[in-house]
Amino acid sequence: MPADLDSVNIEPEKGRAYHHGALRDALIAAARDLIEERGVDAFSLRETARRAGVSPAAPAHHFDGTRGLLTAVAAGAFRDFGDALAAADGSARGRTARIRAQGLAYVRFALDHPARFDLMWRRGLIDGDDPDLKAVADRAFLILDRAARGAEEATHGSADVELAPSIAAWSLVHGFARLAMEGAFGTEPDAAERAAETMLPRVLDHLAL
Amino acid sequence: MPADLDSVNIEPEKGRAYHHGALRDALIAAARDLIEERGVDAFSLRETARRAGVSPAAPAHHFDGTRGLLTAVAAGAFRDFGDALAAADGSARGRTARIRAQGLAYVRFALDHPARFDLMWRRGLIDGDDPDLKAVADRAFLILDRAARGAEEATHGSADVELAPSIAAWSLVHGFARLAMEGAFGTEPDAAERAAETMLPRVLDHLAL
DNA sequence: TGTACATCAGTGAACGCGCGTTCACTGATGTAC
DNA sequence: TGTACATCAGTGAACGCGCGTTCACTGATGTAC
């Protein structure tokens, strides 16, 4: 199994062997491309199979139906998302700087991969109980939470109280990302991008931590 | 046309006249009920017609297809949403109190009408250029923006600068609402509700305006 | 006030479509001996 | 090293489904005279 899904050839090869060899990964990549091109709602198992160059019945050998495949795509998204947050976190020093860096990375990921970001929150389409999905999702949330709590992490008693700054930061960037994606800051192609560049840093100034 | 859609009878009546009389409103009410019951993605024009007790061809006399009907539902949602924000705004005195009140109302609306709230942001499903929709959506945003800018409204020069606190407040409550709806604060039936009651007021404390 | 008739708001059957999944199957692989 | 054979990973045809929309139609309404 290749570590990098981008390297998987999802096109049907001329004279390709009867056995694909890496169909599972190819299907995930094809599904990912499909939703990024046409949106989560345009996903279909048949179209994914078509893109991977296999028959409509082939995916059943690797995934438990539509939900199973989408869950795998979402897990990949959460993994990349967590990586982006971790990288941003590592590049900054100090609690405020780390939160800002993660916030920018959070919105950046959403705007760079809108359909995958969308899918991550589509509880109805994916299996929230899947252990792989849970693991990568929890990891991403933990990275956020640790930065928001900063050094206070281990010193406070009431979980509720110390959760508030985390959730405030999370809500702020999540809301900004969604509003940008949903066209609230303008529907021109580059409106979301411009808002993220010029507006978001200022918006983050209004977060009291 | 009744002002209150709730009063429209959407059930097929025994011995009902051939002409429905208020089919347009009945279809909007049926569509609204359908999506609140089964989610926006489960919407179908045929099922809506079925619920309104008319043939699948009937809606075409009142709406320009699926998109037209959903746009009307979204417009109704934005109207109610704006009403809720305005009521909250009117019940508070002072900039901070008004922002808090509106924030609580914002999240309350989202949790009370999740599918309609969802639909409001589903750019792909509705006609964003519809004048009715634009009017009620703009009104809602204006109510938010006025409270966030407070008395400074007419005094500042740079639009970008004075927009930041508005967008920060908007992003925070929008993000909190979506995260709650998406199950980020727990997937138990009352998790979102509990988060809104116990967490949201504290989260709003972390907004610097 | 009565009547002819245009217009409006429905019907219901039919269309073609893409979907997810099932089914018996077959070609390729890899293992036991 | 060669061969028999079980297992695995595909095929492709077929299923039934619900969908949005079109079509010729018809019953009810309302207006002109």
Side-chain angles (χ1 to χ4, degrees):
Chain A
M1 189 191 295
D4 181 4
L5 280 184
D6 289 324
S7 69
V8 174
N9 179 10
I10 63 162
E11 295 297 321
E13 298 166 27
K14 255 186 181 168
R16 165 177 65 77
Y18 188 94
H19 283 121
H20 186 288
L23 183 53
R24 197 190 132 88
D25 290 332
L27 287 168
I28 292 174
R32 190 192 57 194
D33 291 353
L34 170 56
I35 67 171
E36 285 296 355
E37 268 175 42
R38 300 210 228 141
V40 170
D41 294 324
F43 173 82
S44 101
L45 202 51
R46 290 184 87 103
E47 173 64 16
T48 300
R50 227 172 277 134
R51 282 168 178 242
V54 293
S55 77
H61 289 275
H62 297 279
F63 298 98
D64 187 13
T66 301
R67 176 172 305 260
L69 176 48
L70 284 181
T71 300
V73 174
F78 265 114
R79 187 172 301 114
D80 293 349
F81 181 58
D83 289 349
L85 294 182
D89 190 69
S91 75
R93 289 289 167 267
R95 178 159 170 262
T96 307
R98 286 170 68 203
I99 292 171
R100 288 185 71 96
Q102 282 204 46
L104 295 171
Y106 194 110
V107 174
R108 181 105 312 278
F109 183 89
L111 297 185
D112 286 347
H113 314 282
R116 289 208 292 163
F117 184 79
D118 206 2
L119 179 64
M120 283 160 58
W121 311 102
R122 286 286 198 99
R123 194 151 285 278
L125 297 180
I126 62 185
D127 176 13
D129 294 331
D130 180 77
D132 286 357
L133 180 69
K134 268 174 128 161
V136 287
D138 286 351
R139 171 191 166 240
F141 299 153
L142 207 69
I143 295 170
L144 274 174
D145 188 46
R146 265 207 299 255
R149 299 209 216 176
E152 305 170 23
E153 185 172 7
T155 59
H156 276 66
S158 162
D160 262 16
V161 167
E162 70 186 6
L163 222 50
S166 268
I167 293 185
W170 189 12
S171 294
L172 185 81
V173 294
H174 191 78
F176 188 95
R178 294 225 78 128
L179 288 171
M181 292 167 65
E182 287 153 353
F185 304 146
T187 51
E188 315 84 61
D190 65 335
E193 201 54 48
R194 283 205 345 266
E197 277 170 27
T198 70
M199 207 67 230
L200 181 55
R202 274 206 269 268
V203 164
L204 286 168
D205 289 338
H206 292 275
L207 197 54
L209 295 168
Chain B
M1 187 192 296
D4 181 5
L5 281 183
D6 289 323
S7 69
V8 174
N9 179 8
I10 63 162
E11 295 297 320
E13 297 167 27
K14 255 189 181 170
R16 164 177 65 79
Y18 188 93
H19 283 122
H20 185 287
L23 184 52
R24 196 189 132 89
D25 291 331
L27 287 169
I28 292 174
R32 190 191 58 194
D33 291 352
L34 170 57
I35 67 171
E36 286 296 357
E37 268 175 42
R38 299 209 229 142
V40 170
D41 293 325
F43 173 82
S44 100
L45 202 50
R46 290 184 87 105
E47 173 64 16
T48 300
R50 226 172 278 134
R51 283 168 177 242
V54 293
S55 76
H61 289 275
H62 297 280
F63 298 98
D64 188 13
T66 300
R67 176 173 302 261
L69 176 48
L70 283 181
T71 301
V73 174
F78 265 114
R79 187 172 302 116
D80 293 347
F81 181 59
D83 289 348
L85 295 182
D89 190 69
S91 74
R93 291 287 167 269
R95 179 158 169 264
T96 307
R98 286 169 67 203
I99 293 172
R100 288 185 71 96
Q102 282 204 47
L104 295 171
Y106 195 110
V107 173
R108 181 104 312 275
F109 183 89
L111 296 185
D112 286 346
H113 314 282
R116 290 208 291 163
F117 184 79
D118 206 3
L119 179 63
M120 283 160 58
W121 311 101
R122 286 285 197 99
R123 197 151 283 279
L125 296 181
I126 61 185
D127 176 14
D129 294 331
D130 180 77
D132 285 356
L133 180 69
K134 269 174 128 162
V136 286
D138 286 351
R139 172 191 166 241
F141 299 153
L142 209 68
I143 295 169
L144 275 175
D145 187 47
R146 265 206 301 255
R149 299 210 216 178
E152 307 169 22
E153 184 172 10
T155 59
H156 276 65
S158 163
D160 262 16
V161 167
E162 70 185 6
L163 222 49
S166 269
I167 293 185
W170 189 11
S171 295
L172 185 81
V173 294
H174 191 76
F176 188 94
R178 293 225 78 128
L179 288 172
M181 292 167 64
E182 288 154 351
F185 304 146
T187 52
E188 314 84 61
D190 65 336
E193 201 55 47
R194 284 204 344 266
E197 276 169 27
T198 69
M199 209 65 230
L200 181 55
R202 275 207 267 269
V203 164
L204 285 168
D205 288 338
H206 292 274
L207 198 53
L209 295 168

